[in-house]
Amino acid sequence: MTKDFASAADRAAFIAGLPKAELHLHIEGSLEPDLMFALAQRNGVAIPFASAEEVRAAYAFSNLQDFLDIYYQGMGVLQTERDFHDLTAAYLARARADGVRHVEIFFDPQGHTARGIAFETVVTGITRALDAARTEHGLTSKLILCFLRHLSEAEAEATLDEALPFLDRIDGVGLDSSEVGHPPSKFERVFARARNLGLKLVAHAGEEGPPAYVREALDLLHVDRIDHGNRSLEDDALVARLAGEGMTLTVCPLSNLKLCVVDDLAAHPLKTMLDAGLAATVNSDDPSYFGGYVNANYQAVADALDLSKADLVALARNSFTGSFLSDADKAMHLAAIDAYA
Ligand code: ADE
Ligand code: ZN
């Protein structure tokens, strides 16, 4: 045990009070089994589970695709503006309880429009909850539209077209879903268009895909952040580049464990990333599916890797410096971390 804390409980208490931002959260991945059941009933949607316990038992994955199959099925209960609001409000309450001061939320519109749900329904429901959290609790947010990379670039272009009337509510675009076989290069043109629209850019890369995909995200998509980025560590020159550029990595420890990106949290690369000078952050990805919100992720990886107080403070600081907040807002949050630590 690091000398910084008397016990694991002492470290957990430090984590709980640490001001933090969450930068990698798929709102559809925060759909808890109980809410899934309630929405299925409210909307008259059939789901292939008899109880919330049965849903949880189905959450055993051996890779990303295993998870995605269940994730896309689960989001079928989301039908109305109120559903998207309730989903988002439930996540924001959990985040606030974890000391999260700012969130940058992903959503997957193609997972909904393909089912006949209007883009507007999705954005309006999510943003109504985001607005309430901001005015009632001072919890700030950014919203990031993700393109599903297993679909075509033409479909991503059509989704960006649908987003045009809502660009006052959307801060960036991202790239998610099945990584291997769908490299960033497939989306070079739509990302260029998003960049010209003034949107921030992120992409999942190096979760299951090779370091070359991380390089493509940097060189072809010109991303502002890399989501996951774990496999960057296989390429020393890439690590040096990411560190030199101060590129933020949104790392998701419990996700990596549940999707078998790592066999054991003791083998998780987070500490190696920090020691290599990488701007790593800790995030929950799809907390309902992976067994924990942001504090659970900090705690599990801190225990497994015996993270020090300096490590935890660096992770929290990175979460704000890597955010899309203004410099003044970043400075305010960094000062709050310093005051706390
Ligand atoms: N969609 C939701 N979670 C994801 C993840 N971890 N990787 C890729 N696509 C996702
Ligand atoms: Zn993700």
Side-chain angles (χ1 to χ4, degrees):
M1 182 80 197
T2 168
K3 61 178 173 19
D4 296 341
F5 301 105
S7 62
D10 188 23
R11 179 163 49 203
F14 179 79
I15 289 168
L18 188 59
K20 56 186 76 75
E22 177 148 58
L23 304 181
H24 185 155
L25 179 282
H26 302 264
I27 197 63
E28 297 90 346
S30 71
L31 177 61
E32 290 288 341
D34 290 335
L35 184 58
M36 189 189 292
F37 265 85
L39 296 184
Q41 197 160 39
R42 190 155 98 188
N43 295 323
V45 175
I47 52 173
F49 303 108
S51 65
E53 291 65 46
E54 225 177 81
V55 180
R56 285 193 191 90
Y59 292 174
F61 315 112
S62 49
N63 55 41
L64 174 59
Q65 193 60 50
D66 254 14
F67 154 69
L68 289 170
D69 293 343
I70 292 232
Y71 166 82
Y72 293 123
Q73 178 185 302
M75 64 176 79
V77 300
L78 298 163
Q79 303 268 328
T80 67
E81 190 267 359
R82 181 179 163 206
D83 299 341
F84 288 94
H85 166 272
D86 292 356
L87 172 72
T88 308
Y91 162 70
L92 292 167
R94 297 293 294 259
R96 204 160 66 83
D98 275 6
V100 173
R101 308 285 178 90
H102 175 72
V103 297
E104 303 201 347
I105 289 183
F106 298 141
F107 73 117
D108 283 336
Q110 290 162 294
H112 311 302
T113 54
R115 302 182 286 112
I117 311 296
F119 188 98
E120 179 174 14
T121 301
V122 180
V123 174
T124 313
I126 294 172
T127 57
R128 185 158 62 87
L130 296 179
D131 291 345
R134 184 179 293 116
T135 52
E136 291 167 23
H137 304 295
L139 175 54
T140 58
S141 53
K142 303 283 178 187
L143 184 59
I144 299 174
L145 180 170
C146 282
F147 301 120
L148 298 183
R149 70 200 303 159
H150 68 274
L151 301 178
S152 68
E153 187 179 43
E155 288 164 292
E157 292 278 12
T159 301
L160 186 54
D161 290 338
E162 284 189 280
L164 292 177
F166 305 98
L167 287 190
D168 57 329
R169 313 310 321 269
I170 296 170
D171 301 287
V173 300
L175 189 62
D176 66 0
S177 195
S178 320
E179 185 181 6
V180 175
H182 303 284
S185 52
K186 181 177 163 186
F187 296 92
E188 193 175 346
R189 288 138 301 260
V190 72
F191 267 66
R193 185 153 75 99
R195 187 166 72 248
N196 287 331
L197 289 166
L199 292 162
K200 296 289 188 184
L201 309 175
V202 301
H204 284 54
E207 180 184 19
E208 287 189 343
Y213 283 22
V214 178
R215 290 181 177 279
E216 282 192 10
L218 298 173
D219 293 329
L220 303 181
L221 304 188
H222 305 286
V223 293
D224 298 292
R225 286 199 299 254
I226 295 286
D227 295 315
H228 296 293
N230 298 43
R231 290 194 60 194
S232 306
L233 293 177
E234 296 168 23
D235 180 335
D236 291 342
L238 178 59
V239 169
R241 176 178 174 187
L242 291 166
E245 292 178 8
M247 179 60 58
T248 298
L249 304 183
T250 64
V251 181
C252 306
L254 290 175
S255 165
N256 293 157
L257 182 65
K258 294 288 179 178
L259 300 186
C260 305
V261 168
V262 295
D263 296 333
D264 185 336
L265 275 187
H268 194 278
L270 185 69
K271 176 72 175 153
T272 306
M273 289 170 167
L274 290 175
D275 292 347
L278 294 172
T281 61
V282 168
N283 307 273
S284 67
D285 204 4
D286 301 281
S288 159
Y289 291 90
F290 302 146
Y293 288 77
V294 70
N295 280 358
N297 275 272
Y298 269 86
Q299 278 166 31
V301 77
D303 288 346
L305 303 178
D306 195 24
L307 297 185
S308 67
K309 189 168 169 180
D311 293 329
L312 296 169
V313 168
L315 290 165
R317 290 183 64 90
N318 291 345
S319 75
F320 290 107
T321 48
S323 75
F324 298 140
L325 285 167
S326 69
D327 288 345
D329 285 339
K330 288 181 188 181
M332 174 192 72
H333 289 295
L334 293 176
I337 292 174
D338 291 344
Y340 176 77

